[in-house]
Amino acid sequence: MHKARKCFGQNFLIDNRIIDRIVATIAPKHDDNLLEIGPGQGAITLPLLDYVEQLNVIEIDRNLISMLESLKHPNLIIHQGDVLKFDLNTLPAPIRVIGNLPYNISSSVLFHLLENLDKIKDMTFMLQKEVVERMAANNGSKIYGRLSVMMQTFFDVQMIFIVPPESFNPAPRVESAIVHLNPLTQAKTKDIKVLEKVVKLAFSQRRKTLRNCLKSILTQEQTDIDLSQRAEMLTIDDFITLTQDHEKQH
Ligand code: SAM
């Protein structure tokens, strides 16, 4: 019996009804290129193997790797290592990424995957409910921030359903939720790095105006966006405009 390791954010799914709903949400097709992040003891992995010809998984915990290897499943391709260092270019594309993500690194995983957006068909994740709410938040809301802007610039973000703590062992302290991320057909920008820089600065001091937060990179004369506002009032398109206006300065 594997003892859950906190350092790897291990909360294993034990509720078969929830597992069935996750698989139904993914709706795997025979020839999908699936990548599961953090398969753990295989709660989602094993049911998925009934559907697909090939399932790649990336897991950091060597004990769990041994368990997965002992299954000797012909359709399961196991990668040992840190997903944050995993190169998606080694897999056939387009990739459908899924996972009950380790909560301690979930934002870093999302940002890492953003860098490989052109390889990704869609993504379905279990995350803390609060993180999913931040990803899907609209401007004007207190929880609208860097994660909302970065995700909604590239994806249609949809919270699918909420998962209670009792569905896991050990039970996390907070509620979780399944989120589906579908890349927008028309990317609003290709320049992730510049957008990230602008968004990070804009939200660096939420109570201050944009004029204050962005003064090192942009002045009011260089943009039509009203910089007397706070970052949380700006729409995604406003952030794209700010990014373009910043780029024009070079
Ligand atoms: N999928 C399983 C389930 O639903 O029961 C396990 C989910 S558990 C929340 C997260 C999994 O991610 C664990 O198996 C953990 O070892 C793995 N993990 C944690 N950090 C990782 C990393 N940096 N790279 C790859 N896997 C990681």
Side-chain angles (χ1 to χ4, degrees), residues 32-46:
D32 278 347
N33 298 313
L34 284 189
L35 169 66
E36 184 184 3
I37 298 170
Q41 304 180 98
I44 316 173
T45 324
L46 294 175

Side-chain angles (χ1 to χ4, degrees), residues 211-223:
R211 185 181 298 114
N212 226 299
C213 296
L214 298 179
K215 63 176 180 249
S216 61
I217 59 163
L218 207 66
T219 65
Q220 186 62 80
E221 292 65 46
Q222 295 165 338
T223 181

Side-chain angles (χ1 to χ4, degrees), residues 120-152:
I120 292 172
K121 185 171 178 198
D122 68 350
M123 314 205 273
T124 309
F125 294 128
M126 171 97 74
L127 294 166
Q128 286 183 32
K129 180 173 147 243
E130 176 255 324
V131 174
V132 175
E133 285 169 345
R134 281 199 279 129
M135 289 162 81
N138 290 325
N139 63 323
S141 132
K142 276 204 170 59
I143 56 171
Y144 181 72
R146 182 172 164 232
L147 196 58
S148 331
V149 177
M150 292 310 293
M151 289 298 127
Q152 293 172 40

Side-chain angles (χ1 to χ4, degrees), residues 2 5-14 19 22 36-45 57-62 64 68 79-86 98-105 109 126 167-169:
H2 176 80
R5 296 170 76 175
K6 227 179 174 171
C7 62
F8 291 144
Q10 292 177 352
N11 297 96
F12 298 111
L13 264 170
I14 50 167
I19 294 168
I22 295 172
E36 184 184 3
I37 298 170
Q41 304 180 98
I44 316 173
T45 324
V57 297
I58 165 94
E59 172 59 60
I60 200 165
D61 186 332
R62 286 178 196 276
L64 294 172
L68 294 166
H79 306 266
Q80 194 275 323
D82 181 351
V83 62
L84 298 176
K85 296 186 185 133
F86 186 70
I98 62 137
N100 171 11
L101 295 187
Y103 292 165
N104 47 348
I105 58 163
V109 172
M126 171 97 74
S167 302
F168 303 86
N169 183 26

Side-chain angles (χ1 to χ4, degrees), residues 106-117:
S106 58
S107 295
S108 312
V109 172
L110 293 170
F111 283 103
H112 175 64
L113 293 169
L114 252 191
E115 284 166 22
N116 294 281
L117 193 58

Side-chain angles (χ1 to χ4, degrees), residues 175-188:
E175 281 188 310
S176 305
I178 297 293
V179 63
H180 185 248
L181 301 169
N182 212 2
L184 299 176
T185 35
Q186 197 93 55
K188 289 175 187 284

